[in-house]
Amino acid sequence: MTANFKHIAIPKLDKDAFILAQITGWESLDLIDGPMNVYYGESYIGLSDLSTRTLDDTLDLSLGRDKKVLVTRVKLKDFTKKQILGSTKTVTYSFKISVKNNRNQAIEIDLEDQIPVSTIKEIEVKTEELSNGNLYDNTGKVKWKMNLQPGETKSVTLSFSIKYPKSKQIKLEKKQQKVVPRYY
């Protein structure tokens, strides 16, 4: 089957980029739901489940992680700050997201991140910097579409501030729990 390939990365959740094959005209292939073996190039990728119960004209198949596309998300300490004024606190977060194409061909990648969305009127979220990303207000999702040539690196900046009453607490960062093996 011929397919269009694109990459997807959500560095807030996973540091790897994923390859997605988009197949058009799949309705005429008489495919059935079930397990399938996935090959990319001459290499066996693994098993996946095929679901043809979609109304889309494009069938999306995940081909797994692409280790040749590097994605990093770094918190910028110089632009991340906390401020207390009167009865309110303001916290500013800033992240630099970089994508590097180590493949020998150009790629298209959809890069996604998210800013918080407040449903409480006392908590105000303000977007500071999106580097021309598209913001979806109802979900807070920010999306960038990039085309990267071989060896090329591109970076975007995501920055937002949250203003809230001192009497309230907000928790944005999930602390990673370190597991240390025990030997008896």
Side-chain angles (χ1 to χ4, degrees), residues 9 58 63-64 99 102 117-118 127 153 173:
T58 303
L63 298 180
V99 182
N102 286 328
V117 176
S118 175
T127 304
T153 302
E173 298 182 59

Short mmCIF file of all heavy atoms in Angstrom, two decimals, residues 9 58 63-64 99 102 117-118 127 153 173:
data_model
loop_
_atom_site.label_atom_id
_atom_site.label_comp_id
_atom_site.label_asym_id
_atom_site.label_seq_id
_atom_site.Cartn_x
_atom_site.Cartn_y
_atom_site.Cartn_z
N ALA A 9 4.66 14.35 17.69
CA ALA A 9 5.38 14.36 18.96
C ALA A 9 4.62 15.20 19.98
O ALA A 9 4.11 16.28 19.66
CB ALA A 9 6.78 14.94 18.76
N THR A 58 -9.34 8.61 5.37
CA THR A 58 -7.92 8.30 5.55
C THR A 58 -7.77 7.35 6.72
O THR A 58 -8.30 7.59 7.81
CB THR A 58 -7.11 9.58 5.83
OG1 THR A 58 -7.31 10.49 4.75
CG2 THR A 58 -5.63 9.28 5.95
N LEU A 63 3.24 3.53 13.17
CA LEU A 63 4.39 2.66 12.90
C LEU A 63 5.40 2.70 14.03
O LEU A 63 6.53 2.26 13.87
CB LEU A 63 5.05 3.06 11.58
CG LEU A 63 4.15 2.95 10.35
CD1 LEU A 63 4.90 3.38 9.10
CD2 LEU A 63 3.62 1.55 10.18
N GLY A 64 5.01 3.24 15.17
CA GLY A 64 5.87 3.22 16.35
C GLY A 64 6.79 4.42 16.46
O GLY A 64 6.65 5.43 15.78
N VAL A 99 13.20 20.22 17.97
CA VAL A 99 13.03 19.01 17.17
C VAL A 99 14.20 18.95 16.19
O VAL A 99 14.48 19.93 15.50
CB VAL A 99 11.70 19.02 16.39
CG1 VAL A 99 11.54 17.73 15.61
CG2 VAL A 99 10.53 19.23 17.31
N ASN A 102 17.29 13.65 12.23
CA ASN A 102 18.53 12.93 11.92
C ASN A 102 18.35 11.95 10.78
O ASN A 102 19.22 11.12 10.53
CB ASN A 102 19.03 12.19 13.17
CG ASN A 102 19.62 13.14 14.17
OD1 ASN A 102 20.19 14.16 13.83
ND2 ASN A 102 19.46 12.83 15.45
N VAL A 117 -6.10 25.28 31.28
CA VAL A 117 -7.37 25.96 31.03
C VAL A 117 -8.08 26.06 32.37
O VAL A 117 -8.25 25.07 33.06
CB VAL A 117 -8.24 25.17 30.02
CG1 VAL A 117 -9.59 25.83 29.86
CG2 VAL A 117 -7.54 25.06 28.69
N SER A 118 -8.47 27.29 32.74
CA SER A 118 -9.13 27.50 34.01
C SER A 118 -10.64 27.57 33.83
O SER A 118 -11.14 28.26 32.94
CB SER A 118 -8.63 28.79 34.66
OG SER A 118 -9.36 29.05 35.83
N THR A 127 -1.63 33.60 28.00
CA THR A 127 -0.61 33.10 27.09
C THR A 127 0.43 34.18 26.85
O THR A 127 0.09 35.31 26.50
CB THR A 127 -1.25 32.69 25.75
OG1 THR A 127 -2.27 31.73 26.02
CG2 THR A 127 -0.23 32.08 24.82
N THR A 153 17.35 21.47 12.68
CA THR A 153 16.77 21.59 14.00
C THR A 153 15.91 22.85 14.04
O THR A 153 16.34 23.89 13.57
CB THR A 153 17.86 21.69 15.08
OG1 THR A 153 18.69 20.55 15.02
CG2 THR A 153 17.26 21.81 16.47
N GLU A 173 2.89 20.92 38.01
CA GLU A 173 3.99 20.03 37.72
C GLU A 173 3.82 18.72 38.47
O GLU A 173 3.55 18.70 39.66
CB GLU A 173 5.32 20.68 38.11
CG GLU A 173 5.57 21.94 37.33
CD GLU A 173 6.90 22.56 37.69
OE1 GLU A 173 7.91 21.87 37.51
OE2 GLU A 173 6.89 23.69 38.17
#
